[in-house]
Amino acid sequence: IQDYASQSDRSLSGSGGDASSFRSPMCAQPTAAHRVLVALYRSGKLKRWINQNHDGLPQKAGLPQEAINEIHGAWYSPDNPVIPMTGCLRDDLFDDLQRCEREADLVIALGTSLCGMNADQVVVGPSKRALQDDGKTLGSVIISLQQTVHDEASTLRLFGRCDDVLLALAERLGLHVEEPPIATYYMPEFLLGKSEDEYIVHSAPYDLSGKRCGDGTTSTWDLREGSDLVITGGMHAGAVGEVDGLDREGNVKCRFKLKPKSGKLRAWVPLVVGRWWLEGASKGTVDRLPVVNVPGPPSARGEVLEDDGAAALQQLIDAYAAPN
């Protein structure tokens, strides 16, 4: 990924001074480091990924959505918009972050400055437990080019580029690391052999509000062009929009009428749903869908369950439609 933050020609990142050629960050593709981490996950050695970036690169490398916590927001999840520095983290993601801090045996911090964000606690907590010799925690490994304030508390500190270090680790562990697709993009298993007219999941184990159900409740999730949508959570929960085609990678382009910070005018705003969400929906592995379809009247939904999520969804829509 081109480092558009490092402007110096002498930057250790090896990318400084060439920011003008960087187009849209949505065009970024996974690096070797992303692919090695996905191989670690598939081998059972990596349990969770806390991502402070918004770019969807772990999922583009093959990481399932349920394995990642995009704590600071995501470009490919309309219910999780990017959080500004003065904003508030999403409650469920923050709760999960704290759980990861409590339960982690070993944390690998990659390419982060550890400069005081909430996510730093996932490194700090296990480091402290290891220093206290609790008998089960291995602490933290910090891999980056620059020093951090938590270096001394780490169990292992490596100065280097993430790609170089992780490729060496993969070789040592004998991991199978997939090569990047040539002239194409990562394709979720659910979409193999399917066209854009087949971006639909039948009998998904979710109610109409997008909540995963274990009682046999199912719904159809239709992300084909023209389908009406509702955002299920986050600061724009209840916003109504529609599918507006696919981007060059096959992700679902949407547009929603979003509330402005002030005033009454609501303009169409483009948002994107990563196509890996279809994989999670088909398997029922994600807790909640980021968007759902606008439900039809009960007469069109066949046998209506006592609580199929439609009432909860309508409450979100009504609340978001109310004046500021």
Side-chain angles (χ1 to χ4, degrees), residues 176-248:
H176 171 67
V177 180
E178 292 190 0
E179 293 295 324
I182 299 176
T184 185
Y185 306 100
Y186 168 73
M187 176 71 75
E189 181 181 351
F190 175 79
L191 289 174
L192 289 174
K194 295 183 178 180
S195 69
E196 61 185 77
D197 293 328
E198 297 175 280
Y199 272 55
I200 183 170
V201 181
H202 297 285
S203 301
Y206 297 86
D207 68 14
L208 294 178
S209 70
K211 181 181 177 182
R212 183 171 59 186
C213 300
D215 59 1
T217 298
T218 63
S219 62
T220 297
W221 200 37
D222 191 349
L223 295 184
R224 295 174 297 182
E225 187 166 7
S227 297
D228 293 327
L229 301 175
V230 183
I231 297 176
T232 58
M235 63 185 297
H236 295 299
V240 176
E242 63 184 12
V243 177
D244 193 29
L246 305 178
D247 68 12
R248 69 173 192 168

Side-chain angles (χ1 to χ4, degrees), residues 10-298:
R10 293 178 292 177
S11 167
L12 290 177
S13 71
S15 303
D18 192 29
S20 61
S21 64
F22 189 85
R23 295 177 294 173
S24 166
M26 305 286 281
C27 298
Q29 295 301 307
T31 67
H34 292 97
R35 297 195 299 275
V36 171
L37 289 171
V38 171
L40 277 171
Y41 175 81
R42 290 174 175 169
S43 70
K45 295 179 173 65
L46 178 66
K47 301 301 181 183
R48 294 284 283 145
W49 187 322
I50 307 296
N51 201 26
Q52 296 186 90
N53 296 324
H54 324 294
D55 46 33
L57 294 182
Q59 297 95 315
K60 290 182 182 182
L63 188 78
Q65 181 65 37
E66 64 269 16
I68 194 168
N69 180 333
E70 295 171 291
I71 187 65
H72 292 160
W75 293 338
Y76 295 92
S77 184
D79 66 333
N80 190 23
V82 175
I83 307 297
M85 292 296 291
T86 56
C88 296
L89 302 177
R90 217 173 76 181
D91 289 344
D92 59 325
L93 298 181
F94 185 66
D95 290 343
D96 178 68
L97 181 80
Q98 292 184 309
R99 182 185 62 79
C100 289
E101 182 276 324
R102 292 192 303 269
E103 298 179 0
D105 299 315
L106 176 67
V107 173
I108 304 174
L110 287 157
T112 174
S113 60
L114 296 172
C115 60
M117 296 293 186
N118 252 310
D120 294 357
Q121 64 183 276
V122 180
V123 176
V124 174
S127 296
K128 288 182 176 179
R129 293 198 296 274
L131 289 173
Q132 293 166 358
D133 194 18
D134 67 357
K136 60 180 181 180
T137 306
L138 298 175
S140 64
V141 177
I142 301 176
I143 304 170
S144 65
L145 290 169
Q146 68 188 83
Q147 292 181 323
T148 80
V149 295
H150 298 295
D151 286 356
E152 290 187 6
S154 65
T155 304
L156 178 63
R157 182 60 169 97
L158 298 172
F159 289 92
R161 295 185 177 92
C162 295
D163 282 1
D164 297 339
V165 174
L166 289 181
L167 284 172
L169 175 65
E171 182 177 1
R172 182 64 179 268
L173 295 177
L175 295 175
H176 171 67
V177 180
E178 292 190 0
E179 293 295 324
I182 299 176
T184 185
Y185 306 100
Y186 168 73
M187 176 71 75
E189 181 181 351
F190 175 79
L191 289 174
L192 289 174
K194 295 183 178 180
S195 69
E196 61 185 77
D197 293 328
E198 297 175 280
Y199 272 55
I200 183 170
V201 181
H202 297 285
S203 301
Y206 297 86
D207 68 14
L208 294 178
S209 70
K211 181 181 177 182
R212 183 171 59 186
C213 300
D215 59 1
T217 298
T218 63
S219 62
T220 297
W221 200 37
D222 191 349
L223 295 184
R224 295 174 297 182
E225 187 166 7
S227 297
D228 293 327
L229 301 175
V230 183
I231 297 176
T232 58
M235 63 185 297
H236 295 299
V240 176
E242 63 184 12
V243 177
D244 193 29
L246 305 178
D247 68 12
R248 69 173 192 168
E249 298 179 16
N251 300 304
V252 181
K253 296 191 298 182
C254 312
R255 57 177 192 160
F256 290 90
K257 281 280 186 75
L258 300 184
K259 279 184 177 181
K261 291 183 178 179
S262 60
K264 298 180 179 179
L265 179 64
R266 301 190 184 204
W268 287 108
V269 177
L271 298 174
V272 182
V273 176
R275 60 179 176 173
W276 48 84
W277 281 99
L278 287 153
E279 183 80 16
S282 67
K283 295 179 177 179
T285 51
V286 292
D287 289 335
R288 189 184 72 196
L289 302 177
V291 299
V292 291
N293 299 111
V294 177

